[in-house]
């Protein structure tokens, strides 16, 4: 029996009901929108869905298909539409699903809005624009689980100016053609956990630049390679960073490679490997600085201009400067002092400054005297 009401409601001989269609293929086939004004939809397992899947307050999804947005920048620019006004009582999150997302400008973080990818190996944001920053930080916000990549010359991978975001499980992969910075912190104290910076290019580059800042770095890996300029892994200027489990490699090609450069700074470095490579190569250089170095592996520590350096539990080989040759495991100028405890000095200690050793020894495990010199 077929009941036909102006071709709008059809019941075929199988009992299938069609609304807006004369050929229903299921018990109910609707050619149009289904509306539930109350109660929602009940499923065979007894559960009831009263709102669309994935539509949560304060959440927007960026995806290659099926998301709320397909571009992270468009999503952040439309923040008030899906988040309202972010605050401590109205926090929000932008979720970026797997895929490669090409953007043409800086991704601007906002206070109380976290940005979360789906993993460093599956969510990538690429910048197809020169002379820009990939991402700007914000207070009270975290960015996590994604990768930033560009082959263009950018000013900074991430720029934090008087803001202190959390950066967790983020990789910056930058191939550049001129002076650039992986992460630039100015008057900022970001907390970085499991952060990686890869930089390569033809000229100068610095993996992380800290200016009047006090970042906290845990499990950070910085690799900088340049073909014809100066490479620095981390440059601390008037800063007091805390570094724990950090690996830094800086290859300066035919010029300078410095893993860590401290100027007017007082960093605390624990479990750090600092390797500089190039015609001029230093693991750690200090100028008017007072670092505390614990469990350090470095090719040379040089101290100048009223520096005071404390070293313990470390392994130090030699730095090198073209025209001057090997500079020794430690070089201390006449205005500076270095205090060493329980450390292996694989090369001599040089310089006219004050060097004091307790429990230190050379590459043959023979003890050195209190002035860090071989025993007679």
């Amino acid at each position: 029996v077929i009941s036909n009401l102006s071709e709008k409601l059809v019941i075929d001989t199988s009992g299938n009901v069609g609304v807006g269609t004369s050929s229903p293929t299921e018990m109910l086939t609707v050619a149009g929108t289904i509306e539930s004004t109350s109660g929602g939809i009940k499923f065979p397992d007894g559960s009831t869905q009263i709102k669309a899947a994935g539509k949560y307050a304060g959440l927007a999804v960026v995806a290659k298909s099926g998301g709320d947005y397909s571009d992270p920048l468009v999503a952040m620019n439309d923040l008030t539409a899906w988040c309202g006004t972010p605050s401590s009582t109205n926090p929000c999150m932008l979720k970026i699903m797997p895929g490669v997302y090409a953007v043409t400008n800086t991704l601007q973080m906002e206070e109380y809005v976290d940005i979360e990818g789906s993993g460093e190996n599956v969510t990538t944001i690429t910048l197809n624009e020169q002379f820009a920053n990939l991402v700007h930080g914000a207070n009270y916000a975290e960015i996590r689980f994604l990768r930033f990549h560009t082959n263009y010359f950018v000013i900074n991978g991430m720029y934090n100016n008087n803001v202190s975001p959390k950066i967790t499980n983020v990789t910056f992969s930058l191939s550049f053609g001129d002076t650039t910075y992986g992460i630039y912190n100015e008057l900022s104290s970001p907390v970085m956990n499991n952060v990686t910076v890869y930089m390569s290019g033809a000229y100068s580059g610095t993996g992380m630049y800290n200016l009047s800042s006090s970042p906290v770095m845990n499990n950070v890996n910085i690799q900088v390679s340049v073909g014809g300029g100066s490479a620095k892994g981390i440059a601390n200027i008037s800063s007091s960073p805390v570094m724990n489990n950090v690996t830094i490699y800086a290859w300066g090609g035919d010029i300078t490679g410095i893993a860590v450069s401290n100027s007017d700074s007082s960093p605390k470095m624990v479990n750090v490997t600092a390797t500089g490579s190039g015609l001029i190569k230093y693991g750690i250089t200090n100028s008017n600085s007072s670092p505390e170095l614990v469990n350090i592996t470095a090719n040379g520590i040089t101290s100048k201009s009223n520096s005071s350096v404390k070293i313990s539990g470390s392994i130090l080989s030699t730095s090198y400067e073209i025209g001057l040759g090997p500079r020794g495991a430690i070089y201390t100028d006449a205005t500076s002092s270095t205090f060493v405890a329980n450390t292996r000095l694989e090369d001599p200690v040089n310089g006219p400054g004050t060097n004091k050793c307790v429990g230190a020894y050379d590459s043959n495990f023979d003890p050195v005297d209190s002035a860090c010199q071989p025993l007679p």
Side-chain angles (χ1 to χ4, degrees):
V1 178
I2 298 178
S3 176
N4 190 327
L5 300 177
S6 301
E7 299 294 332
K8 294 181 179 179
L9 175 65
V10 174
I11 304 175
D12 68 11
T13 54
S14 300
N16 292 341
V17 177
V19 179
T21 176
S22 60
S23 303
T25 57
E26 300 293 342
M27 293 189 67
L28 176 63
T29 301
V30 178
T33 301
I34 299 175
E35 180 182 8
S36 172
T37 59
S38 66
I41 300 173
K42 189 172 183 178
F43 293 92
D45 64 358
S47 64
T48 300
Q49 182 177 318
I50 61 174
K51 62 181 179 179
K55 298 296 183 181
Y56 299 102
L59 172 69
V61 176
V62 174
K64 301 304 290 185
S65 63
D68 303 306
Y69 302 90
S70 59
D71 187 324
L73 267 62
V74 174
M76 290 301 292
N77 289 337
D78 201 28
L79 181 61
T80 55
W82 55 269
C83 177
T85 301
S87 67
S88 59
T89 57
N90 182 42
C92 299
M93 183 175 80
L94 181 68
K95 175 67 177 180
I96 308 177
M97 302 307 290
V100 178
Y101 300 87
V103 298
T104 56
N105 212 328
T106 300
L107 177 63
Q108 175 64 62
M109 297 177 67
E110 298 291 344
E111 292 187 0
Y112 301 106
V113 180
D114 285 2
I115 298 175
E116 179 180 283
S118 300
E120 293 167 89
N121 294 323
V122 296
T123 300
T124 300
I125 296 177
T126 64
L127 179 65
N128 296 330
E129 184 68 29
Q130 298 192 73
F131 309 111
N133 301 312
L134 272 74
V135 58
H136 284 176
N139 286 321
Y140 314 113
E142 180 178 15
I143 188 165
R144 55 185 178 262
F145 305 134
L146 50 75
R147 174 187 296 265
F148 289 94
H149 173 74
T150 185
N151 289 322
Y152 288 80
F153 165 60
V154 294
I155 303 170
N156 304 294
M158 185 171 193
Y159 181 51
N160 299 310
N161 183 7
N162 205 26
V163 293
S164 300
K166 290 185 69 177
I167 311 166
T168 305
N169 289 90
V170 176
T171 294
F172 297 90
S173 176
L174 312 174
S175 298
F176 56 94
D178 207 336
T179 302
T180 191
Y181 303 93
I183 300 174
Y184 194 114
N185 298 312
E186 183 174 1
L187 299 170
S188 300
S189 301
V191 176
M192 291 171 271
N193 295 307
N194 304 317
V195 172
T196 300
V197 177
Y198 294 123
M199 296 178 60
S200 62
Y203 300 105
S204 299
T206 300
M208 185 182 302
Y209 190 87
N210 298 314
L211 176 61
S212 301
S213 296
S214 300
V216 176
M217 292 172 261
N218 297 306
N219 302 317
V220 172
N221 182 12
I222 296 178
Q223 310 284 325
V224 181
S225 298
V226 302
S230 174
K232 287 185 179 179
I234 297 176
N236 296 314
I237 314 296
S238 301
S239 295
S240 300
V242 175
M243 302 164 57
N244 185 45
N245 292 327
V246 178
T247 299
I248 313 108
Y249 175 80
W251 180 72
D254 58 1
I255 303 183
T256 304
I258 300 174
V260 180
S261 173
N262 298 314
S263 178
D264 301 296
S265 296
S266 301
K268 183 173 183 179
M269 301 167 55
V270 181
N271 299 326
V272 172
T273 298
T275 306
S277 182
L279 290 182
I280 300 173
K281 55 184 180 181
Y282 290 100
I284 302 172
T285 63
N286 303 294
S287 176
N288 196 34
S289 296
S290 301
E292 182 178 350
L293 311 176
V294 181
N295 295 336
I296 305 297
T297 301
N299 61 327
I301 296 176
T302 295
S303 301
K304 299 179 179 180
S305 303
N306 298 299
S307 292
S308 179
V309 183
K310 296 178 181 178
I311 306 168
S312 62
S314 299
I315 301 174
L316 306 178
S317 57
T318 191
S319 57
Y320 184 87
E321 188 166 337
I322 188 170
L324 297 175
R327 301 287 274 170
I330 295 172
Y331 177 85
T332 309
D333 79 355
T335 66
S336 302
S337 56
T338 304
F339 304 94
V340 185
N342 305 318
T343 291
R344 189 167 86 211
L345 304 170
E346 296 188 342
D347 290 282
V349 172
N350 296 320
T354 300
N355 296 297
K356 182 178 180 179
C357 280
V358 176
Y361 48 93
D362 64 17
S363 58
N364 296 317
F365 292 87
D366 292 324
V368 299
D369 65 19
S370 60
C372 304
Q373 297 302 314
L375 290 170

